[in-house]
């Protein structure tokens, strides 16, 4: 059992601590599962854009971190949140698409290929837009 008085085995860097608090406050503010998935899309796309910038800037370490973040979000967030039992063909197609995106991100990481990341962004962007368009409580366009 951990207590406030127990010494911390590892101190977080102030920037990492700030980022963690920021993420936790956003998740706490995500009152619906729909919003959480929207945040996953946003995070994955942001990480992909960061990876592109790191490749252009020849920052290998930042590229690796950004691509790893995108992979974790796509695989451990978007892909695992699919309901494969009742989602039908759509869930199967998205599962396969996310798998392809993961392959392309791995390739982009190995080859520092901006075009592969651009492809992933082009594939994910319309899904994010479609997801956001079905937000519960959003007025229906006529």
């Amino acid at each position: 059992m951990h207590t406030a008085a127990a010494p911390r085995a590892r101190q977080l860097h102030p920037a990492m601590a700030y980022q963690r608090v920021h993420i936790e406050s956003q998740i706490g503010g995500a009152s619906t599962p729909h919003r959480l998935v929207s945040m996953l899309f946003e995070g994955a796309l942001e990480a992909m854009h960061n990876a592109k910038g790191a490749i252009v800037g020849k920052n290998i370490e930042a590229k690796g971190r950004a691509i790893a973040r995108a992979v974790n979000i796509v695989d451990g967030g978007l892909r695992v949140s699919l309901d494969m039992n009742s989602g039908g063909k759509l869930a199967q197609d998205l599962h396969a698409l996310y798998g392809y995106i993961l392959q392309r991100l791995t390739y982009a990481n190995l080859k520092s290929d901006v075009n592969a990341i651009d492809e992933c962004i082009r594939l994910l962007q319309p899904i994010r837009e479609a997801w956001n368009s079905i937000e519960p409580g959003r007025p229906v366009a006529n």
Side-chain angles (χ1 to χ4, degrees):
M1 180 173 182
H2 298 283
T3 64
R8 292 182 66 175
R10 178 175 91 161
Q11 293 288 332
L12 285 178
H13 184 277
M16 291 177 68
Y18 174 80
Q19 183 178 16
R20 183 175 182 171
V21 168
H22 176 69
I23 290 168
E24 288 174 358
S25 67
Q26 283 185 326
I27 290 171
S31 58
T32 66
H34 186 276
R35 179 66 187 130
L36 286 172
V37 172
S38 293
M39 290 171 63
L40 291 172
F41 282 121
E42 292 165 13
L45 288 166
E46 177 185 3
M48 290 176 200
H49 285 288
N50 290 343
K52 280 179 53 177
I55 290 171
V56 170
K58 300 192 184 316
N59 186 335
I60 304 296
E61 184 180 341
K63 174 198 73 169
R65 277 194 316 268
I67 290 177
R69 182 170 177 251
V71 164
N72 286 335
I73 293 170
V74 171
D75 194 35
L78 294 171
R79 201 172 191 197
V80 300
S81 67
L82 294 171
D83 184 345
M84 300 304 290
N85 293 323
S86 61
K89 183 162 174 28
L90 177 59
Q92 292 171 3
D93 290 347
L94 286 171
H95 190 272
L97 179 63
Y98 293 154
Y100 177 74
I101 288 171
L102 293 170
Q103 289 175 354
R104 295 300 288 157
L105 288 171
T106 300
Y107 179 86
N109 196 22
L110 290 172
K111 302 292 184 179
S112 292
D113 189 336
V114 172
N115 292 326
I117 296 173
D118 281 335
E119 179 184 8
C120 295
I121 291 169
R122 283 192 309 272
L123 291 169
L124 201 57
Q125 186 72 36
I127 299 167
R128 181 188 77 160
E129 291 169 5
W131 180 259
N132 288 340
S133 74
I134 62 167
E135 182 177 0
R138 183 181 174 143
V140 178
N142 292 331

